[in-house]
């Protein structure tokens, strides 16, 4: 029976060694798990920080896009108004050009008429000068006759 007790004690010692080894392994696994958990939590915090930063940048970008769109809309309004003003100016220029052409035609007709009148006047003047010269000659001859 003694042998059985020794054998039992040996088995118990072996089992205690195995148990101690398993407890040591379990402790190492727990420690490794805690380190892994800590690393994962750190990585999760870092990712959340990055996500918050990206969210902030995204919101900032949205604000910038809204501002740019408003500026673009304002510029488009200015461009539209300038285009309308340009069309109005072109219409006025065209109208003025048409009026200028009409006035030019009227002035050219008046000029032609005046040139004709000048021609008539010149021919009348020439006729009067000719008569005047003729009268002067006759006067001079009469004066000469009187002196004689």
């Amino acid at each position: 029976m003694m042998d059985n007790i020794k054998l039992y004690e040996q088995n118990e010692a072996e089992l205690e060694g195995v148990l101690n080894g398993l407890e040591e392994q379990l402790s190492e696994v727990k420690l490794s798990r805690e380190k892994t958990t800590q690393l994962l939590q750190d990585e999760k915090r870092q990712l959340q920080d990055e996500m918050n930063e990206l969210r902030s940048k995204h919101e900032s970008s949205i604000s910038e896009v809204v501002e740019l769109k408003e500026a673009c809309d304002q510029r488009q309004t200015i461009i539209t108004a300038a285009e309308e003003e340009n069309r109005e100016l072109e219409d006025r220029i065209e109208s003025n050009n048409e009026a200028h052409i009409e006035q030019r035609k009227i002035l050219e007709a008046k000029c032609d008429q005046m040139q004709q009148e000048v021609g008539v006047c010149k021919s009348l003047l020439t006729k009067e000068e000719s008569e005047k010269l003729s009268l002067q000659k006759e006067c001079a001859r009469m004066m000469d006759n009187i002196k004689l």
Side-chain angles (χ1 to χ4, degrees):
M1 195 98 189
M2 239 356 194
D3 283 340
N4 278 343
I5 291 177
K6 272 190 176 182
L7 188 59
Y8 176 76
E9 285 177 353
Q10 262 184 342
N11 280 341
E12 188 179 351
E14 282 179 20
L15 284 175
E16 205 170 294
V18 168
L19 182 61
N20 287 340
L22 286 174
E23 284 177 349
E24 195 176 303
Q25 284 180 351
L26 179 62
S27 177
E28 287 174 5
V29 166
K30 282 182 179 180
L31 184 62
S32 173
R33 183 174 166 227
E34 287 174 3
K35 286 182 181 177
T36 302
T37 301
Q38 185 63 39
L39 286 173
L40 287 173
Q41 286 175 347
D42 290 346
E43 188 173 338
K44 181 181 176 184
R45 262 187 246 107
Q46 183 181 359
L47 288 172
Q48 284 176 335
D49 290 345
E50 288 177 12
M51 186 175 75
N52 289 338
E53 185 179 330
L54 287 172
R55 187 173 282 135
S56 174
K57 285 181 180 177
H58 176 71
E59 290 170 0
S60 175
S61 294
I62 288 173
S63 296
E64 189 176 331
V65 166
V66 167
E67 288 174 12
L68 289 172
K69 184 177 181 336
E70 288 173 359
C72 185
D73 289 345
Q74 288 175 351
R75 286 191 176 105
Q76 186 60 45
T77 300
I78 291 169
I79 288 170
T80 302
E83 287 173 343
E84 180 62 28
E85 185 177 343
N86 188 40
R87 275 192 295 279
E88 289 173 5
L89 287 173
E90 286 176 350
D91 290 346
R92 284 177 39 204
I93 288 170
E94 185 176 334
S95 176
N96 285 344
N97 284 345
E98 290 171 1
H100 177 74
I101 289 170
E102 288 301 314
Q103 285 179 344
R104 184 177 181 137
K105 287 178 182 177
I106 292 168
L107 289 174
E108 285 175 349
K110 284 184 179 180
C111 185
D112 289 344
Q113 182 182 358
M114 289 176 84
Q115 284 178 344
Q116 288 174 356
E117 289 174 0
V118 165
V120 168
C121 285
K122 279 184 180 178
S123 99
L124 286 175
L125 242 172
T126 306
K127 192 175 181 185
E128 281 183 18
E129 285 178 355
S130 167
E131 286 177 8
K132 181 181 172 185
L133 194 60
S134 174
L135 284 173
Q136 284 176 345
K137 284 181 184 177
E138 195 174 319
C139 257
R141 207 173 9 112
M142 287 177 139
M143 289 296 272
D144 285 343
N145 283 339
I146 294 177
K147 288 182 184 176
L148 288 176

